[in-house]
Amino acid sequence: QDDLVDQLRAVPPSQRALVTCEGAFSYLARDTGLTEKYIWPVNAEQQATPQQIASTIDFVAENTVPAVFCESTVSDAPMQRVVEATGARYGGTLYVDSLSAADGPVPTYLELIRHDADTIAARVPSRESCSSVIAPGKRAVTAVESTGIRAGCPEASCTARTTLSPSTTTQIDSS
C-alpha cells in the first residue's frame, strides 16, 4: 500500500488534482494529498446538473488540470463535456466498487487499487517534462495538438494546452 501512496504523492504539488465524475475518491485524495473535485457526490439521486458541470469546467480551467477521470459505474458523458470545454485529457476509467471478470483489468480489490493509482499517476505530467506557463485565458495551438503528445511526457499525458513554451507555439488562440 505504501508504494501506491508514494506513487501518487510523487505527483508535483501544482498538479495534485483528482477530478472525477462521482465523489468516490475522498479517501484516496486525503491519503495522497490530492485536491478532489467531482461533478456530483457519491450516490446522488441526480447526476450532472448544468451547474455541477460548469463548476467542474471552471475548476479544471482555473487549475490547468491536465487529465480528468470517470468511474466505471457511471456514464462518462458529463466528463466528456468537461474535456471538450477545457481541453483537458480524458485520463481513463477508475474503478470504485465493482470488480471486473477474472480476465479483466481489476479482478481483485488489490488490482482495483493498483489500477486506479497507476491510471491517475500515469496521466499527470511530471514537472520536469511538462513545465511551461501559458498566459491565463490563452491556449497554445501547435502541430503536436493533433496528436495530443509532447515528447518527454509520460503516457501522452501532456497536451499542447498545458505544456508548450512560446518558442514552440505557432499561434495563440483565445477561444
Side-chain angles (χ1 to χ4, degrees):
Q1 174 189 352
D2 289 338
D3 60 329
L4 298 175
V5 171
D6 289 344
Q7 180 181 6
L8 292 175
R9 281 193 180 143
V11 172
S14 64
Q15 299 293 323
R16 287 187 184 163
L18 177 59
V19 180
T20 61
C21 287
E22 188 174 53
F25 291 95
S26 296
Y27 66 93
L28 182 65
R30 181 199 65 221
D31 292 350
T32 58
L34 297 169
T35 300
E36 180 183 32
K37 176 66 177 168
Y38 47 83
I39 298 177
W40 63 84
V42 174
N43 299 323
E45 289 185 27
Q46 182 177 348
Q47 296 179 3
T49 66
Q51 295 82 5
Q52 290 168 323
I53 293 172
S55 174
T56 305
I57 288 169
D58 289 344
F59 179 87
V60 170
E62 290 167 9
N63 293 283
T64 318
V65 175
V68 296
F69 306 87
C70 203
E71 295 77 3
S72 63
T73 55
V74 298
S75 169
D76 70 352
M79 192 59 78
Q80 294 297 341
R81 290 178 59 197
V82 173
V83 167
E84 291 169 11
T86 63
R89 182 170 182 258
Y90 183 72
T93 301
L94 302 178
Y95 292 83
V96 182
D97 55 5
S98 60
L99 301 177
S100 65
D103 60 346
V106 293
T108 68
Y109 183 69
L110 184 56
E111 288 301 317
L112 179 149
I113 294 170
R114 281 191 185 122
H115 172 275
D116 287 353
D118 289 347
T119 299
I120 294 164
R123 300 315 186 266
V124 178
S126 70
R127 179 168 295 187
E128 298 80 36
S129 62
C130 306
S131 62
S132 68
V133 177
I134 295 172
K138 302 291 184 182
R139 189 168 83 78
V141 179
T142 71
V144 298
E145 188 166 6
S146 63
T147 63
I149 298 171
R150 181 179 185 277
C153 295
E155 297 278 329
S157 62
C158 303
T159 64
R161 181 183 154 272
T162 60
T163 63
L164 296 174
S165 64
S167 64
T168 59
T169 302
T170 57
Q171 77 183 71
I172 297 293
D173 178 357
S174 316
S175 58

